[in-house]
Amino acid sequence: MHKRFSYSHIKGFPNLSIAIILKFLGSIPVVIGAANIYNFVPSNSSILYIKTVDEIADVAKKMLYLATHEESYNAALRWLTKNSNLSSFVI
């Protein structure tokens, strides 16, 4: 169902757009605290975003849900096959 690593962690990269391309390829990034993250993602459903500590439990529940619902997990990665021009996501 999933590749070896289903999620990646992104935190505090100074050049966020490059980090996202590197981490996005084949996994769902878990992004912590980057307030401008939605300026750089291909779709809002392509990441799991933790803005504050209070949101960790909700993101963990979402990760567990995605781990047991292959169709939903694959939907979060669908942008990879629909958008062949990844350079449009790099600034």
Side-chain angles (χ1 to χ4, degrees), residues 77-89:
L77 296 177
R78 194 160 290 132
W79 71 271
L80 282 168
T81 57
K82 287 186 175 185
N83 297 297
S84 59
N85 183 11
L86 292 177
S87 63
S88 65
F89 302 114

Side-chain angles (χ1 to χ4, degrees), residues 11-32:
K11 179 183 177 194
F13 287 92
N15 191 346
L16 192 54
S17 60
I18 303 257
I20 286 179
I21 293 302
L22 295 174
K23 294 285 187 174
F24 259 146
L25 300 177
S27 66
I28 300 174
V30 178
V31 180
I32 299 174

